[in-house]
Amino acid sequence: MTATLDEQDLQQGFEDVIAADQRIEPRDWMPEAYRKTLVRQIAQHAHSEIIGMQPEGNWILRAPSLRRKAILLAKVQDEAGHGMYLYAAAETLGVDREELTEKLISGRQKYSSIFNYPTLSYADVGVIGWLVDGAAICNQVPLCRCSYGPYARAMIRICKEESFHQRQGYELLLAMVNGTDAQREMVQESTNRFWWPSLMMFGPPDADSPNTSQSMGWGIKRHTNDELRQRFVDMTVPQAEALGITLPDPDLRWNAERGHYDFSEPDWSELKAVISGSGPCNAQRLAHRRRAHEDGAWVRDAAAAYAAKHGGSR
Ligand code: FAQ
């Protein structure tokens, strides 16, 4: 775009790109509200990947075999990688990673509610892979078509890895449900705890989602929260049946007329409480992240000193 275009032409150019379903790139003009929405969503997404390392990280030292430990270690490392791609995508919008980290550890930016629940048994590793990565895939595959180029491109690789994660979770659960009665009970108990929080990952119901309509208008989101939640339920019920696991919703049943499963409303007051800081592990997750950031100060200082000495920038 040339500097001679006035604001109205710039706005029109932006709208034409969105209407043609093409991509906005970092150097293109964009409305400030579009930029802010992307920073909010991408930062929250990046923070979720980083905080999301904690619940499963809890089991790395206690995995039951070397094979299971290697798999879990690799999975948790992948989540760190996703956080890095996403912070890099956010930086193309003119924000600094340090500033985003500061906002996370001071509680001024959100991360996904799901990571504020504890991991109480080893079955949680499998159930997180199956349900949490499963929900993440449903939500994130459409983001590969997001109107903002760097976010859409980051999502392509992330989704490939997330679907691998989902399969590793399911493979672990298949091994457990084919094991002892105690192992089957562990899988059922874990599923009972994670089912409702997984449904809440998609966000509030459409009627209470202040951002959906504008984000869809801009081609950031491609589906509403409720549409994706339904897609997840439809995908997951047959998987639960194959595992021989019961999903903890007595009203879950196929509705032939709609061509979808009917299911109960999650407890939205619980989502509100968890998002606003009162979930079972919010304080612990943030304290751990804060401590890790402080412990890493010497690495950042060393990198900055090295860059200054060699005349580069950090
Ligand atoms: N948790 O108007 P909406 C993963 C907030 S990554 C916390 O509907 P929007 C990988 C929302 O930000 C999981 N906050 O908002 C993994 C907004 O806040 P604000 C993360 C939530 O943005 C797996 C307010 O409520 N994925 O799992 C939640 O249009 C295993 C109103 O809501 C992403 O971030 C929630 N569940 O839709 C890692 C995907 N729901 O700032 C390790 C990208 C809503 O206006 C292990 N993000 N809020 O006050 C998105 O698709 C969207 O941001 C939504 C929310 C769908 C999450």
Side-chain angles (χ1 to χ4, degrees), residues 40-41 44-45 48-49 52 56 75 79 110-113 115 128 132-133 136 139-140 143 151 162 200-204 209-212 215 221 225 271 275:
R40 178 183 64 77
Q41 178 165 327
Q44 174 180 312
H45 195 165
S48 303
E49 301 281 358
E56 288 170 287
K75 194 223 181 217
E79 309 298 359
K110 298 184 170 78
Y111 58 90
S112 180
S113 51
F115 303 117
I128 287 178
V132 176
D133 286 281
N139 167 268
Q140 292 173 22
L143 292 174
Y151 191 27
E162 299 291 21
M200 293 176 200
M201 283 176 71
F202 295 91
S209 165
N211 300 302
T212 293
S215 286
K221 284 168 86 163
N225 299 353
L271 177 65
I275 292 181

Side-chain angles (χ1 to χ4, degrees), residues 228-298:
L228 292 172
R229 196 169 3 255
Q230 179 72 63
R231 190 177 284 188
F232 172 69
V233 172
D234 291 347
M235 176 186 99
T236 307
V237 173
Q239 295 171 353
E241 283 166 4
L243 287 171
I245 291 296
T246 307
L247 295 172
D249 179 355
D251 295 327
L252 185 67
R253 64 179 59 86
W254 179 251
N255 181 329
E257 223 167 88
R258 291 201 309 122
H260 292 290
Y261 284 92
D262 287 338
F263 58 101
S264 308
E265 285 283 312
D267 175 358
W268 297 120
S269 64
E270 179 178 320
L271 177 65
K272 270 192 195 140
V274 176
I275 292 181
S276 54
S278 312
C281 297
N282 295 59
Q284 178 189 332
R285 300 290 185 238
L286 273 189
H288 188 86
R289 181 69 194 87
R290 218 173 279 130
R291 203 163 49 243
H293 188 64
E294 284 159 13
D295 289 349
W298 69 271

